[in-house]
Amino acid sequence: MTTNENTATAARLDYARTAPKVFRAMIALDAAAREGLDPALVELVQMRTSQLNGCAYCLDMHVKDARKAGETDERIYLLPVWPEAPAGVYSEPERAALALAEEIALIGGGVSDTVYDRAAAHFAPAELAQLISVCLTINAWNRINVATRKTPGTA
């Protein structure tokens, strides 16, 4: 995003009110995607994806949700640079999930075999499918909220 007219401006429309059937379907998809996954992992993936996609609304919401769920400030603050975080800050499964989430968010070159195989080594096929679904839904939410300029803190 550039620092022009697109930043810090008023919301364009209330998506939930304007497209209620799609909004309800997104809510249902989001809930289904999370099933069976560690909630802390889901929040990490959603925060990191929102950072990459420049979605202030989603980042604000998921940081608040993560804190309510007991996430530490250290893990939240280091998330933008998670590969450089000291050992033990993020588990190996979390690191694999974050790498996968990044490649899905930045889909330009696809998801590499290395990143996919790393995630597959830490997650059973059903869990991996759920993780990919979480990545799908947060990317969709980011795009909806960036396009409509959803204001952070208005959840």
Side-chain angles (χ1 to χ4, degrees):
M1 182 181 279
T2 60
T3 55
N4 61 19
E5 66 181 291
N6 294 329
T7 58
T9 55
R12 290 179 167 145
L13 62 83
D14 181 341
Y15 189 83
R17 194 185 78 226
T18 309
K21 289 174 86 173
V22 177
F23 183 79
R24 285 191 304 272
M26 283 292 301
I27 294 289
L29 179 61
D30 189 281
R34 295 166 179 258
E35 287 181 12
L37 292 177
D38 175 14
L41 175 70
V42 171
E43 293 301 334
L44 287 174
V45 164
Q46 291 177 322
M47 286 186 290
R48 183 62 185 136
T49 301
S50 298
Q51 290 169 344
L52 293 170
N53 289 329
C55 185
Y57 176 83
C58 290
L59 181 59
D60 177 66
M61 180 176 69
H62 292 295
V63 166
K64 289 173 182 173
D65 289 348
R67 282 199 169 117
K68 286 178 193 170
E71 189 59 80
T72 67
D73 285 345
E74 178 184 36
R75 286 167 44 96
I76 292 170
Y77 297 152
L78 290 175
L79 192 56
V81 293
W82 67 266
E84 290 80 33
V89 173
Y90 303 104
S91 69
E92 286 307 311
E94 288 170 336
R95 288 175 178 276
L98 289 168
L100 181 65
E102 286 188 0
E103 288 202 1
I104 290 173
L106 307 171
I107 200 73
V111 174
S112 69
D113 289 340
T114 301
V115 166
Y116 185 88
D117 293 345
R118 180 181 180 190
H122 292 285
F123 298 95
E127 292 173 313
L128 185 55
Q130 293 301 116
L131 179 58
I132 291 168
S133 299
V134 166
C135 294
L136 165 88
T137 57
I138 190 58
N139 275 281
W141 282 123
N142 289 165
R143 283 151 178 78
I144 290 167
N145 291 323
V146 168
T148 62
R149 293 186 183 149
K150 182 86 170 160
T151 305
T154 60

